[in-house]
Each structure stands twice: as C-alpha cells, then as structure tokens.
C-alpha cells in the first residue's frame, strides 16, 4: 500500500507537523522509502465523531435496515465523521457492516433498555425482565456501552434511583459504561445519582448534579439538533404543563452545554439522527449556546474520541482525520468542506490538496 504524507497544523495542539500514513496507522517518523504527499498546508484534526446517532433505523417503524445504515455511513464518512457512538439500536449491527472499511468506526450500546415501569414507550425499546442483567449483557455484546432511560413521559413514573444504581454498579463491575436518556428533572437526577456515565439529551441538569458528574469523569450529550427544529412548532401549542416541560427542558440545555464544560464534564456532540447526522450543525448549536468554539469542535473530535477510548492524531493512532483549509476553531463552517478525509488510512475526499484560499471568507460569512 502506498505511503501517504501530509503536512499541516495538527489540532488541538496547533503545531505544524508531518504525518505519514502506514495502512491504518499514523506516524510522525519519516518512513524509509517513498511517500506521496497528499496534503501540504491547512489544518488536520482527528476524524469527527457523532456521539449520539442511530443510523439505519426506519423513522416510521424504527426497524433496522442495512441499506439505510450503509447510506448513512457513507454520507458520514464523506463529511469527515469517522466514528459513531450508537446508544440504542434494534438489532446487533451485522458483522459485514461493522467490517465495511468504507463506513465509520462504531461504538455500539445495544438495545434501548427500559425499566418496566416507564409508561408510553413508543416501540423501539426493550423492556427486559431483569434490567441489570440485560444491561450487562448488552455492554458485553457491544463496545462496552449499554443504553437505558432515566425517564420517558414527563408526568409519569421515572426509573427509580435504586434500579439505576443496581444497573450502573453491575455494568461498571463488568468494565462497561452506561448512557441514559434523561429529559426530566427527576429522571436526570436519578441517573446522575445512580452513577450513569453519559447523560443523553441532558435536560434539567443542575450545578450540583454536574459537579457530581464531573467528579467521576462523566459526559453529557445535549443533542441540540434533535430539539431545536421542534421549538417553533411547540411554541404555537396551547399553554400547558407539557409545553412548559418541553420549552424549559430545551432552555435548560444551555446549562448542560456551558456549565457542564465549566465544571469539568465532557460535552459530546450528538445529533440523534436516524440517517446521516450533520455534526457540524451540532457544533454550531453548541457554540450558539455559549460553548467556546475550540471546545465545541473538540466535542465532535478530539475530546469525543478520548472519551470513547480513541486517540487523536498521536503516534500510532488509527488513521482517521479531516483536513480543512483554515482553523476550524475560528471558522467552524470550514468543516463542511474538508479538503481530505482519511478513514482507516483511505482517502475519501480529495478536493485538491492545495490550500483553497477562497474558503476563509466563505467560512467567516457562514
Ligand atoms: Zn437517541
């Protein structure tokens, strides 16, 4: 296989470096033998991450469809998103899809596991007789993660803290981690107090909960992209407790985004998409909420990879990267036009290796 050579400003450190690609590995040591320079100039960052995605599910039935999954994965890869965490899927991701080198790497969490007392579940969830045993089994069968719920409907019973604590203790003892859907004050509190690692949707977080989450290295995934498109319609609805719950919950995402970061919680960019999810738009939502742009880009790149157990652009790291002509920490929209994407060392986008000087103004205007 041909050795590729890239030179650019490596993020987040910001040093200009030479990188060589040997198969699916990066090295900073010039290899013996020739190399083809595919990029000289611009910025290099670790492949983007959608930390909350459910690719391949039919919206109407939530059935898993392999063709749909492949289509979503190809679109993700072309856009520079080389890693997906999938917190909830109907069936095991088939090995031929996991092994498809054209598709992003996966961190799967298995079935959407719900406590039996939750009301109004809408179809995709599995309600196991033994929630804890099912969670451990899914973490083991997947990539060390399981997915459960702190709550579902806002005005009915939430998953009790005791049930969540038993689940978290067992999954942690098995070496796994727990992601939990949380959209109510009680459900969110129960999940944090129980030891959930990653709070998904993350409504109604408070400083005391974020402090506890930070102390154990926890994360939040605000999934702004899943909620903001609904807000205008909800505002037209008659006043009532459900409307108030929704709008207050979305408003609370600023705390989940900004205060979380300030208190030391890892913020993750997640789209909650069923097909291709636009991570760059989620980065822009995080910035609009008040997160520093460099942190928002990290939430979809180096910080997300670190949290999920994948290195950034370090010696021997997997060869997943995105090259852009300008600094995405200053011009995040530049991430929409990568000059080069590498996934497993394979070039996916080669829009010319030369630095395209027109991108700076376009990105600044966007
Ligand atoms: Zn989701």
């Amino acid at each position: 296989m041909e050795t590729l050579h890239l030179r650019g400003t490596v993020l987040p450190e910001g040093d200009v470096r030479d990188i060589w690609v040997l198969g699916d590995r990066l090295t900073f040591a010039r290899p013996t033998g020739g190399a083809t320079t595919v990029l000289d100039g611009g910025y290099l960052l670790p492949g983007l991450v959608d930390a909350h995605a459910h690719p391949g599910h039919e919206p109407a039935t939530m059935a898993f469809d392999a063709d749909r999954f492949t289509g979503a994965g190809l679109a993700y890869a072309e856009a520079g998103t080389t890693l997906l965490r999938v917190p909830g899927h109907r069936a095991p991701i088939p090995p031929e899809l996991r092994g498809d080198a054209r598709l992003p790497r996966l961190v799967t969490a298995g079935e959407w596991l719900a406590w039996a007392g939750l009301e109004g579940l809408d179809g995709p969830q599995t309600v196991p007789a033994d929630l804890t045993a099912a969670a451990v089994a899914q973490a083991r069968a997947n990539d060390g993660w399981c997915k459960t719920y702190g709550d579902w409907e806002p005005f009915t019973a939430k998953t009790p803290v005791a049930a969540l604590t038993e689940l978290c203790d067992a999954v942690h003892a098995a070496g796994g981690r727990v992601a939990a859907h949380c959209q109510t004050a009680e459900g969110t509190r129960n999940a944090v107090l129980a030891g959930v690692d990653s709070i998904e949707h993350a409504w109604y977080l408070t400083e005391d909960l974020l402090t506890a989450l930070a102390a154990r290295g926890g994360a939040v995934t605000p999934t702004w992209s899943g909620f903001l498109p609904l807000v205008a319609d909800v505002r037209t609805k008659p006043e009532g407790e459900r409307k108030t719950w929704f709008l207050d919950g979305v408003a609370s995402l600023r705390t989940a985004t900004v205060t979380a970061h300030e208190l030391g919680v890892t913020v993750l960019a997640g789209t909650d998409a069923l097909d291709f999810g636009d991570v760059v738009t989620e980065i822009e939502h995080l910035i609009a909420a008040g997160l520093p742009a460099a942190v928002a880009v990290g939430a979809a790149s180096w910080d997300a990879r670190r949290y999920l157990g994948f290195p950034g652009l370090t010696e021997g790291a997997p060869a997943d990267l995105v090259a852009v002509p300008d600094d995405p920490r200053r011009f995040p929209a530049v991430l929409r036009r990568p000059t080069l994407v590498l996934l497993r060392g394979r070039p996916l986008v080669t829009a010319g290796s030369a630095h395209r000087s027109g991108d700076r103004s376009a990105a600044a205007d966007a």
Side-chain angles (χ1 to χ4, degrees):
M1 191 185 220
E2 168 183 44
T3 300
L4 305 179
H5 165 244
L6 305 86
R7 179 175 174 80
T9 302
V10 175
L11 298 181
E13 292 80 11
D15 301 323
V16 176
R17 301 195 71 177
D18 292 285
I19 295 179
W20 287 269
V21 182
L22 302 173
D24 183 19
R25 293 290 172 228
L26 302 175
T27 181
F28 296 101
R30 181 188 300 273
T32 56
T36 304
T37 299
V38 293
L39 190 98
D40 188 0
Y43 289 75
L44 304 173
L45 65 156
L48 300 180
V49 181
D50 189 344
H52 190 124
H54 310 284
H57 292 86
E58 297 276 357
T61 63
M62 293 300 283
F64 182 81
D65 179 89
D67 290 340
R68 201 177 185 102
F69 179 91
T70 300
L74 291 172
Y76 269 118
E78 188 173 337
T81 304
T82 61
L83 175 63
L84 307 176
R85 184 179 59 160
V86 186
H89 43 104
R90 288 302 290 277
I93 307 296
E96 62 271 22
L97 294 181
R98 275 188 175 273
D100 189 330
R102 302 170 304 158
L103 305 179
R105 299 179 205 264
L106 299 176
V107 173
T108 64
E111 297 174 8
W112 283 278
L113 299 175
W115 175 63
L118 292 179
E119 296 180 24
L121 296 173
D122 60 357
Q125 298 89 358
T126 299
V127 181
D130 185 335
L131 182 62
T132 293
V136 171
Q138 291 296 344
R140 286 199 168 122
N142 288 279
D143 299 294
W145 282 87
C146 66
K147 167 68 179 287
T148 191
Y149 294 79
D151 49 44
W152 185 246
E153 281 290 321
F155 307 109
T156 59
K158 314 303 184 290
T159 310
V161 69
L164 288 169
T165 301
E166 183 189 306
L167 183 157
C168 289
D169 288 351
V171 171
H172 291 160
R177 288 191 279 180
V178 180
H181 169 118
C182 295
Q183 282 189 280
T184 67
E186 183 186 345
T188 300
R189 173 165 290 275
N190 288 355
V192 173
L193 296 180
V196 167
D197 299 277
S198 180
I199 304 295
E200 307 303 304
H201 315 306
W203 288 14
Y204 294 104
L205 277 164
T206 52
E207 284 200 25
D208 59 325
L209 296 177
L210 288 167
T211 300
L213 197 55
R216 62 169 186 265
V220 296
T221 320
T223 65
W224 285 92
S225 301
F227 301 120
L228 282 183
L230 308 175
V231 166
D233 180 58
V234 171
R235 284 199 207 283
T236 68
K237 305 281 190 216
E239 296 305 320
E241 61 181 7
R242 195 172 184 88
K243 177 178 178 177
T244 301
W245 159 75
F246 182 91
L247 294 177
D248 287 355
V250 174
S252 78
L253 285 177
R254 290 179 66 89
T255 296
T257 302
V258 179
T259 311
H261 166 65
E262 290 169 354
L263 292 175
V265 175
T266 298
V267 178
L268 301 171
T271 67
D272 212 2
L274 301 179
D275 285 303
F276 165 68
D278 179 1
V279 179
V280 182
T281 294
E282 182 66 18
I283 291 172
E284 290 169 341
H285 292 326
L286 295 171
I287 294 169
L291 202 63
V295 179
V297 175
S301 177
W302 50 86
D303 285 331
R305 289 181 67 92
R306 175 181 44 72
Y307 183 74
L308 295 173
F310 290 75
L313 302 183
T314 57
E315 180 65 32
D320 300 342
L321 64 78
V322 178
V324 287
D326 214 329
D327 190 341
R329 299 168 300 181
R330 297 181 62 207
F331 309 103
V334 78
L335 293 168
R336 290 212 167 77
R337 290 185 308 285
T339 45
L340 177 69
V341 173
L342 290 186
L343 172 57
R344 300 181 173 90
R346 293 156 44 111
L348 295 180
V349 177
T350 49
S353 57
H355 187 119
R356 291 181 299 165
S357 60
D359 276 359
R360 172 184 285 269
S361 57
D365 292 347

